Amino acid sequence: MPNGKSIWPTVVLAVTIFVYAAYAVMAYYTFTHIPPIPSEVVTPNGTVLFTEEDVIKGKYYFQKYGLMDYGSVLGMGGYFGIDFTSYTLRILEDAAAHSLGFDAVPQNNATAMAAIRAALLPDPDGGKVVVSDVFAQGFYNAVSYYEKMLGPDSAEYRLKPDLITNATIVKDLTAYFTWTALIALENYTNGFPYTPGILTSTNNVFYASWGMVISILLIVMPMAAYVLMKFLDYWRDPRAPIQLPPPNEAQRMTLWAFALFGIALGVQGLLGGYTMHLYTEPTLYGVNLLSILPFNVSRALHYNLAILWIALTWAAFSLFALPYFGLNVSKRQVVAVLALGVFVALGDLFGIWLSYLGYIPSPWWFIVGSQGRDVIDQGTLWLLLLTAALGYLSYLWYKASKTAPDALKPFAKILAIAIAGTAAGTFIGALPIVAPWPDFQVDEYFRWMTIHAYVEGFWPPIVVTVVVVLLLIAGLVPQRLALAVVGLDATSEIITGMIGTAHHYYFNGLPTFWMYVGSIVSVLEAVPLGFMIIYAIVLWRRGEVRTEFQKTLVTYALVAGVGGGLGVVLFGAAFINAPIFNYYLHDAQSTMAHAHLAFPLAYGVPSILMWVVAFYLSGKFTDRELKYMRWAAVIIGVGFYLQALLTLEPLAVLQLQQELAKGYWFIKTLVTPSGAPGFWQEPIVDEVIWLRMIGDLVAAAGFAIVIFGMLAKLLKR
C-alpha cells in the first residue's frame, strides 16, 4: 500500500452516498403508499367522532407529554406502558362484546368473535370513514378511560401526577390512538397487533421469513467463506508494534473529560435501576419521586446519557489520538470541543427533563426541550449543534488523513467518512426542526434512519476502526488484515445496517415491500459481526499476546466482539428480526435484552477501552492496574448477560405466553380496562423483575473499578 493509498475509503464513501440516496429516492413511493388519515370518522347517522386535525393534534400531544417514552402506538415506543393501539382495540372489543350481551370478550366463541370483528370494521366513504354505533361507544369509553389514566390516576401508572387534565387534549390523543387501531383493522399493518379473533399475521409475514432463510443459504454462507479465505491469507503477514511518544499537555487534558464521562455512566446506571424499579411499584422504597422523575423522564434520561457519554468519549479520544496521526491539536481546541460537547449534553438532558414535566411551552418544547420521539427525542437545537460538532470532528480526521503515517492514512479517512455519516443521520433526526411530523409513518421512516445511522450503520465502523488500529499499534495484527477488517466491516455495516433499517417498518403501516427488504438485508449484518467474533477468539488463542497492554486490548475486544456480537446476532437478528418472530415479540422485553447486550457491550466496552488506553499511555495506569481493568471488562460483560438471562428473556417468554392467550394488548398492562390486575402485577413477573438486581450489581462492580480507578489517579498529586 504505497503512499497510504487504498481503495477501501473510496468504497466506504460510495456506499455512504448510495444508502442515503436510496432512502431519498424511495421516500416518494413510500409516502404515497401509507395509510391515509380520514377527513372525518363518523357514525351512520353522521355524528363526527373525530377529524384529521384531531388525529394530527393527538400525535402532537403524544410527543409533547413524552408518552412515547412511556408506552407505544403500533408497538413503537417504550416497553413498560401500554400499547395505546392495542389497548384501544381492546376497549373497542369490550364495547362490541357488551352490545352482544357478553360480560367480557368471548375469545373462545368463534361466532361471537366474528360478529365483534364485523361490528368494528370501518367502512371508507371517500375521504371519510364510517364506523358503527358500537364502535362509537367504544371510542367514548376509551376517552373516559384515558381521562382517568392520564389525569387523576396518572401517578399509579408511573407518570407525573395529574399529567393531562384538559379533556380536549385527551380526546385528541384518543383520536390518534383510535386512528392507529383503524389502520390495523383496515390491514395496513400486516395483521399487527395480534388480537385473537380480530387480527392475526398475514401471509407476507411468513413469506418474508422464508426470504431470510434463503438469503442465509445463498448469500451469507458464500460471503462468510470469502471472508475466511481473506482472513487466512492476510493473517500470515508480518506484524510489528508501533512505538508512540508520551502524550502532550493538550492530549492529557482529555483525561479529565474521560473521568467526567465515567461519572455520567454511573448516573446512567442509577437511572436504569430506578426505571426498572418502577416496573414493580410507583415509589422508590417508599419515597415518591414521580413529580420530578416519572417513568418517561427517567427512561429518556437513562438512554440519552448512554448515547452522550459514548459519543463524547469518541470525540475526546479523537482529540487524544489525532496528534499520533500527525495533526497537532491545541489546548484551546480541546477545551472548545469538549465545552461544546458538555453544553449540548446538558442542554439535551435538562431539555428532556423540563419538557416532559411540562415546563417548556409550545413550540419551544420541540426545539430546546424534547421531540418526544423514542430514542431520537433530543430537542432539534441540540441535534443541530451535535451535527455541527460531528462535522467539525469529521473535518479533523480528514485533515489527519493527509498528515498521518502511510500505514494509518486509510483508517483516518474511514473514520472521517463514518463520523460524517453519523452527522448526516443526526441532521435527519432534527427534521422537521420546529414542530412534529404530522404523519406517524413519515416520522417513523426518518426516526429509524437516524437510529440506524448511529447503532447499526456508522457507529460500528467508528468502533471497529479504533479497536483495530489499537491492535495494529500493539503489533497484534498485520497492516493488510487490519485494513481489510475495517474496510469490509464499514462497507457491509453501512449497507446492511442502513437498508436493514426496514426491519422496523414491518408493522407500522409503511408499504409491505419494506418487510421483504428489511428481513433479507438485515440478516446480512451477521457476516461482519460473525467475522469479528471469530477474529477476536483466534487472536486470543494464538498465544502471541504477551504484554499487559496487549492482553488488555484483546480482553476488551473479546468482551465487545463476542459479548456484543452475540447480543446483536443471537439476541437480535435470530430472535426478533425474522418477521414471524417479530410479529409476536415486537416491543416486548426480548428487544430490551437485545439492547442491553448489544449497546453496552458493542459500544460501551470499546469506549471504556479508550479511557483505559488514554490513561495508560499518559502514565496514569501501570501494567499492574491494567489487570484490574481487564477484570472490569469481563465483569461488565457477565453483568449484562445476567440481566438478559435472569430477567429480560424470561420476561419475554412470559409475555409471549400471555400474548398468545390474550393478545398483544395485555403484555404491557398494569390494569386491564375492566380494572383487573394486568401483566406487570402478576406475582411471577414481579419476582423475575427483582432478579435483575443481580446483573445490575455485577455490572456496576465492573464499572466502579474503572471509574474509581480513573478518579483516584487524577486526584492523586
Side-chain angles (χ1 to χ4, degrees):
M1 193 186 65
N3 301 320
K5 293 182 179 179
S6 169
I7 194 174
W8 279 117
T10 303
V11 173
V12 174
L13 178 61
V15 299
T16 298
I17 296 172
F18 168 76
V19 294
Y20 278 121
Y23 266 97
V25 170
M26 291 308 302
Y28 174 77
Y29 176 83
T30 299
F31 298 156
T32 55
H33 291 77
I34 56 178
I37 303 176
S39 59
E40 292 180 335
V41 174
V42 301
T43 62
N45 65 7
T47 302
V48 178
L49 297 183
F50 56 87
T51 66
E52 178 181 8
E53 182 182 0
D54 296 335
V55 173
I56 293 173
K57 287 193 296 185
K59 179 180 183 296
Y60 178 92
Y61 292 127
F62 189 69
Q63 293 176 220
K64 183 179 188 296
Y65 288 97
L67 292 176
M68 199 175 191
D69 266 310
Y70 170 73
S72 57
V73 291
L74 290 173
M76 296 295 181
Y79 305 111
F80 169 70
I82 61 175
D83 179 76
F84 290 95
T85 301
S86 57
Y87 204 85
T88 302
L89 267 174
R90 179 63 179 190
I91 294 175
L92 294 171
E93 274 190 295
D94 282 342
H98 293 156
S99 72
L100 294 173
F102 294 98
D103 293 332
V105 176
Q107 289 182 351
N108 296 324
N109 187 328
T111 302
M113 292 305 299
I116 289 173
R117 174 177 168 78
L120 297 181
L121 284 177
D123 181 19
D125 181 15
K128 297 189 299 184
V129 168
V130 180
V131 296
S132 66
D133 291 330
V134 170
F135 189 105
Q137 184 59 54
F139 174 77
Y140 296 137
N141 293 347
V143 172
S144 298
Y145 183 86
Y146 292 131
E147 281 181 344
K148 293 181 180 179
M149 175 190 171
L150 300 175
D153 295 344
S154 61
E156 296 179 25
Y157 293 90
R158 307 349 180 215
L159 290 166
K160 178 188 173 184
D162 296 313
L163 178 66
I164 304 174
T165 56
N166 185 311
T168 302
I169 292 177
V170 174
K171 182 178 180 294
D172 290 339
L173 281 166
T174 309
Y176 176 51
F177 303 153
T178 306
W179 170 74
T180 63
L182 277 173
I183 65 173
L185 289 169
E186 291 177 311
N187 203 33
Y188 281 102
T189 61
N190 287 295
F192 185 85
Y194 175 60
T195 311
I198 304 293
L199 292 172
T200 190
S201 61
T202 64
N203 289 334
N204 287 310
V205 174
F206 178 77
Y207 296 147
S209 299
W210 269 107
M212 287 187 71
V213 175
I214 294 171
S215 66
I216 292 173
L217 297 175
L218 298 182
I219 303 175
V220 173
M221 295 180 69
M223 286 179 65
Y226 173 78
V227 169
L228 181 60
M229 287 189 296
K230 288 297 181 183
F231 176 88
L232 295 174
D233 182 27
Y234 293 158
W235 184 257
R236 302 182 182 92
D237 285 4
R239 64 201 75 188
I242 300 174
Q243 297 300 321
L244 300 178
N248 58 37
E249 187 176 352
Q251 289 172 284
R252 290 196 298 271
M253 291 175 64
T254 61
L255 301 185
W256 287 97
F258 294 139
L260 175 62
F261 305 153
I263 295 173
L265 165 60
V267 174
Q268 179 221 333
L270 292 174
L271 282 169
Y274 168 75
T275 303
M276 199 70 191
H277 184 87
L278 290 178
Y279 277 61
T280 62
E281 56 180 311
T283 65
L284 182 64
Y285 302 110
V287 179
N288 194 324
L289 301 176
L290 293 177
S291 59
I292 59 171
L293 205 60
F295 182 93
N296 55 344
V297 172
S298 66
R299 177 181 184 265
L301 294 180
H302 169 64
Y303 65 70
N304 267 274
L305 266 171
I307 295 170
L308 289 167
W309 74 256
I310 289 174
L312 289 175
T313 289
W314 298 351
F317 192 74
S318 294
L319 299 174
F320 180 87
L322 283 168
Y324 295 130
F325 284 75
L327 184 67
N328 289 324
V329 180
S330 67
K331 290 190 288 185
R332 181 176 297 179
Q333 281 178 292
V334 172
V335 171
V337 172
L338 293 179
L340 175 61
V342 172
F343 172 72
V344 170
L346 292 176
D348 177 9
L349 297 172
F350 279 100
I352 291 170
W353 197 347
L354 296 174
S355 182
Y356 281 4
L357 291 180
Y359 295 126
I360 302 179
S362 300
W364 297 104
W365 64 268
F366 191 80
I367 300 169
V368 300
S370 169
Q371 294 187 28
R373 307 157 73 197
D374 182 33
V375 180
I376 308 301
D377 59 0
Q378 306 83 0
T380 55
L381 173 64
W382 313 118
L383 287 170
L384 292 175
L385 289 174
L386 182 57
T387 300
L390 289 168
Y392 178 68
L393 202 61
S394 174
Y395 167 71
L396 290 180
W397 277 109
Y398 175 74
K399 288 181 64 177
S401 71
K402 306 296 184 182
T403 60
D406 286 348
L408 297 179
K409 283 181 178 178
F411 300 103
K413 290 179 182 178
I414 290 174
L415 277 174
I417 296 166
I419 295 171
T422 306
T426 304
F427 178 75
I428 290 171
L431 299 175
I433 309 298
V434 296
W437 294 102
D439 192 286
F440 172 75
Q441 281 74 27
V442 173
D443 197 320
E444 289 299 287
Y445 186 81
F446 289 118
R447 184 173 76 91
W448 283 110
M449 280 180 65
T450 298
I451 294 172
H452 269 236
Y454 286 4
V455 297
E456 298 191 54
F458 295 98
W459 277 22
I462 295 173
V463 168
V464 171
T465 301
V466 171
V467 173
V468 169
V469 168
L470 290 173
L471 294 172
L472 174 66
I473 290 171
L476 290 172
V477 297
Q479 199 272 348
R480 277 204 311 166
L481 178 60
L483 186 55
V485 168
V486 169
L488 179 65
D489 178 82
T491 302
S492 56
E493 291 281 7
I494 292 170
I495 291 178
T496 61
M498 292 301 292
I499 298 179
T501 301
H503 67 248
H504 297 284
Y505 301 159
Y506 291 170
F507 307 114
N508 66 2
L510 286 169
T512 299
F513 86 89
W514 281 116
M515 176 181 290
Y516 291 89
V517 173
S519 60
I520 292 172
V521 175
S522 62
V523 77
L524 302 182
E525 292 179 61
V527 176
L529 290 167
F531 174 62
M532 291 305 297
I533 293 171
I534 295 170
Y535 177 71
I537 294 173
V538 172
L539 184 67
W540 168 60
R541 293 292 299 171
R542 275 182 66 92
E544 296 180 358
V545 182
R546 296 183 179 89
T547 69
E548 296 299 324
F549 184 58
Q550 290 175 328
K551 293 176 183 178
T552 302
L553 293 178
V554 172
T555 300
Y556 276 81
L558 276 169
V559 174
V562 178
L566 289 176
V568 174
V569 177
L570 180 61
F571 290 87
F575 279 178
I576 59 179
N577 271 14
I580 194 67
F581 296 145
N582 190 272
Y583 178 81
Y584 295 102
L585 297 175
H586 192 42
D587 212 38
Q589 291 293 304
S590 52
T591 308
M592 280 272 283
H594 162 57
H596 274 236
L597 293 176
F599 195 86
L601 299 185
Y603 298 120
V605 167
S607 301
I608 293 172
L609 174 63
M610 296 177 200
W611 303 349
V612 173
V613 168
F615 270 72
Y616 179 74
L617 295 179
S618 301
K620 294 294 185 181
F621 284 164
T622 64
D623 284 348
R624 178 174 177 272
E625 284 148 347
L626 286 183
K627 297 179 181 179
Y628 296 107
M629 298 302 117
R630 293 200 296 274
W631 274 109
V634 174
I635 292 170
I636 291 169
V638 170
F640 280 104
Y641 268 89
L642 286 174
Q643 283 184 8
L645 297 176
L646 293 180
T647 294
L648 301 178
E649 286 297 347
L651 283 176
V653 172
L654 292 172
Q655 285 181 315
L656 179 60
Q657 292 174 342
Q658 295 286 23
E659 181 178 356
L660 292 174
K662 301 177 181 178
Y664 180 75
W665 70 275
F666 184 76
I667 68 171
K668 298 193 298 178
T669 55
L670 277 166
V671 180
T672 69
S674 64
F679 178 80
W680 297 122
Q681 294 195 57
E682 294 188 351
I684 187 173
V685 171
D686 187 75
E687 293 171 4
V688 172
I689 291 173
W690 277 104
L691 284 175
R692 179 175 155 171
M693 185 176 289
I694 299 172
D696 286 355
L697 292 175
V698 172
F703 290 134
I705 293 172
V706 181
I707 296 170
F708 287 112
M710 290 192 298
L711 292 173
K713 289 296 181 179
L714 288 176
L715 297 176
K716 183 178 180 181
R717 294 184 64 86

